[in-house]
Amino acid sequence: MTRPASLEHHPDLIEMRERYERAGSTSVAQVIDGLGLLAGLYLAISPWVVGFNGLSRLTVSNLVTGIAVAALALAFASAYGRTYGISWVVPVIGIWTILAPWITGSATRGNIWNNVITGGIIFLLGLGAVAVGSRGVPGMSSKRDMSRGDTSNRPDMPGRPDMPGRP
């Protein structure tokens, strides 16, 4: 059984990373990342803000998941081209946040409302982060950029000599 080649050797790696970096630097992505950071920080401190820090399992859950969301938002804001692959984790954390009061056995009115609203916001922001990487970036065409030396569509120029079999 042969092992697939590493992504590090993919011929379009630089182009893919540039595409994701451009996507991550749009104003929509910056708003999503900023709100994600704030939502994560709020989730981390919410047991003390709302006043349910005596419920240790839910307190630890909110603290850990809040820090994780904030760290992911910082990673997306600083290097989306390298972190877009884990953006699906944020909506999952949002769902966990919504369900955590019941799963941890700490369901009271205050922490249910806190976690459902905060988890819903984190879920939506996570879907936004996933969408940033999966949608087309404005100003980019699907065709290769001739200014970077791509000659695959030019009949007067041969294919790439460094990659046999590639047009």
Side-chain angles (χ1 to χ4, degrees):
M1 182 162 152
T2 61
R3 192 172 159 163
S6 169
L7 185 60
E8 293 301 319
H9 301 295
H10 193 281
D12 296 326
L13 180 64
I14 294 171
E15 181 181 339
M16 289 179 353
R17 283 195 177 145
E18 287 174 357
R19 175 182 170 256
Y20 287 117
E21 286 302 326
R22 284 192 299 270
S25 65
T26 62
S27 59
V28 171
Q30 291 171 354
V31 168
I32 290 170
D33 297 338
L35 292 175
L37 174 66
L38 292 175
L41 292 176
Y42 172 76
L43 182 61
I45 65 168
S46 66
W48 294 274
V49 172
V50 177
F52 61 87
N53 58 342
L55 304 171
S56 63
R57 288 182 289 188
L58 187 60
T59 300
V60 170
S61 173
N62 282 11
L63 181 64
V64 170
T65 55
I67 291 170
V69 169
L72 285 169
L74 283 174
F76 298 154
S78 63
Y80 193 74
R82 296 192 182 266
T83 59
Y84 71 90
I86 59 171
S87 60
W88 62 270
V89 172
V90 179
V92 172
I93 292 174
I95 292 170
W96 166 257
T97 301
I98 293 169
L99 299 175
W102 293 282
I103 293 173
T104 61
S106 307
T108 65
R109 183 174 294 211
N111 62 29
I112 289 173
W113 278 108
N114 177 71
N115 277 38
V116 167
I117 292 171
T118 307
I121 290 169
I122 290 171
F123 177 76
L124 293 174
L125 291 170
L127 289 180
V130 170
V132 164
S134 62
R135 70 183 163 106
V137 180
M140 286 181 54
S141 67
S142 60
K143 296 179 183 175
R144 295 191 183 270
D145 186 0
M146 293 297 222
S147 67
R148 289 191 317 187
D150 183 18
T151 60
S152 61
N153 294 328
R154 293 183 55 188
D156 60 329
M157 301 293 286
R160 294 180 59 176
D162 58 333
M163 294 181 185
R166 181 174 163 95

